[in-house]
Amino acid sequence: MNKFNVRDLDLYYGDTHALKNINMLIPERKVTALIGPSGCGKSTLLRTLNRMNDLIENVHISGHVELEGVDIYQSRDISDLRMKVGMVFQKPNPFPMSIFENVAFGLKAQGINDKQLIKDTVENALRSAALWDEVSDRLNSHAFGLSGGQQQRLCIARAIAIQPDVILMDEPTSALDPIATHRIEQLMEELRKEYTIVIVTHSMNQAKRISDKTAVFWMGELVEHADTQEIFNNPQDRRTKAYVNGEFG
């Protein structure tokens, strides 16, 4: 089953044609990696999936992005959409508050006031993000006291707490050391059992390790989209071959 159906999608930043006639299906409860050279449109596509591009001035979008059959640019409330489609950014961005309050933030923003429900949800989210054992005795400590890798897992817990269907990840390990990167990748292996994950990564090795599907972008075009093993072992498009062979970065 597919979670997203992107059809005939074009996006312009002013006069710049950033995404060109994108058509792709994103399967449910799988990890889809978006790869390609810098500036090729992969992060732009990621941001169309929860309408983050709405925040950018002079953006024009045409085509369709359907989440479970509903076009998010026509029929879905943005706040509801962003509850269903969480996002983790390139650099960890915990809020300037305690560990507990970071995870509880989205719940309280929804108007949830039941203290026991909030407490239980925070614990479950931290456990799901493989962070509970490291922070359970200091939940009231400031989030900025965590390491970079812990902060990124906290951001994942914050996203999980509001029970989304989809988690978008924009180069979530690019600012982390190899050990923290490994922890995040292990976490994604667990999260794929419950969530649809779409990740932008510059690391082809990471895409190989953690994704089920890989989409290759090139100068705003989607040039190939297939099972990850097929993309790396038997690419069909010459641009994909060039990129996976390390000829372009």
Side-chain angles (χ1 to χ4, degrees):
M1 182 175 177
N2 295 306
K3 181 61 75 172
F4 281 102
N5 182 3
V6 180
R7 296 185 290 114
D8 305 323
L9 179 67
D10 284 274
L11 183 144
Y12 292 83
Y13 294 124
D15 295 328
T16 301
H17 198 177
L19 291 176
K20 304 171 183 176
N21 193 34
I22 306 299
N23 290 274
M24 67 182 294
L25 299 172
I26 297 175
E28 185 175 34
R29 295 191 182 183
K30 302 287 185 182
V31 178
T32 297
L34 311 182
I35 67 171
S38 297
C40 65
K42 52 192 184 292
S43 290
T44 297
L45 177 69
L46 192 77
R47 291 193 297 267
T48 67
L49 301 180
N50 68 347
R51 295 186 58 174
M52 288 292 288
N53 286 314
D54 288 14
L55 304 174
I56 300 173
E57 189 176 352
N58 206 22
V59 167
H60 174 69
I61 298 171
S62 63
H64 305 276
V65 179
E66 295 178 356
L67 172 61
E68 298 177 337
V70 177
D71 193 319
I72 66 173
Y73 283 89
Q74 295 182 10
S75 305
R76 191 178 288 277
D77 177 79
I78 293 179
S79 59
D80 177 61
L81 171 67
R82 291 180 186 156
M83 292 295 179
K84 291 182 176 294
V85 184
M87 190 158 188
V88 177
F89 295 91
Q90 181 175 359
K91 293 183 180 180
N93 63 334
F95 299 146
M97 55 185 66
S98 72
I99 295 167
F100 183 93
E101 290 299 327
N102 261 272
V103 185
F105 184 88
L107 300 171
K108 293 180 179 180
Q110 293 179 31
I112 296 173
N113 297 311
D114 185 319
K115 291 183 178 180
Q116 189 60 49
L117 175 60
I118 292 173
K119 181 179 177 182
D120 292 344
T121 303
V122 168
E123 178 176 343
N124 290 337
L126 288 169
R127 287 189 183 279
S128 295
L131 191 57
W132 175 256
D133 291 343
E134 298 170 39
V135 303
S136 60
D137 60 347
R138 51 179 174 140
L139 294 176
N140 293 321
S141 298
H142 203 287
F144 290 172
L146 298 174
S147 70
Q150 288 174 324
Q151 288 185 14
Q152 193 66 300
R153 280 183 284 147
L154 178 65
C155 294
I156 292 171
R158 189 174 66 201
I160 291 171
I162 59 175
Q163 299 181 324
D165 295 330
V166 181
I167 302 175
L168 308 178
M169 297 185 171
D170 194 356
E171 297 187 61
T173 63
S174 64
L176 304 181
D177 61 57
I179 294 174
T181 294
H182 179 63
R183 295 292 299 274
I184 297 293
E185 290 182 2
Q186 285 182 315
L187 175 56
M188 281 190 275
E189 288 286 346
E190 289 300 313
L191 293 176
R192 76 191 331 149
K193 297 174 185 176
E194 297 185 46
Y195 303 96
T196 300
I197 298 174
V198 186
I199 178 173
V200 168
T201 179
H202 275 291
S203 169
M204 286 184 284
N205 286 330
Q206 182 173 72
K208 285 189 230 182
R209 287 192 299 266
I210 57 96
S211 68
D212 303 286
K213 299 281 188 178
T214 295
V216 184
F217 286 80
W218 195 279
M219 297 182 67
E221 297 180 34
L222 174 61
V223 298
E224 197 161 349
H225 180 213
D227 290 345
T228 295
Q229 185 174 2
E230 184 73 12
I231 289 288
F232 286 99
N233 294 338
N234 188 30
Q236 299 300 304
D237 188 276
R238 59 178 178 78
R239 293 160 292 186
T240 302
K241 291 179 182 179
Y243 186 67
V244 300
N245 288 330
E247 296 175 19
F248 299 93

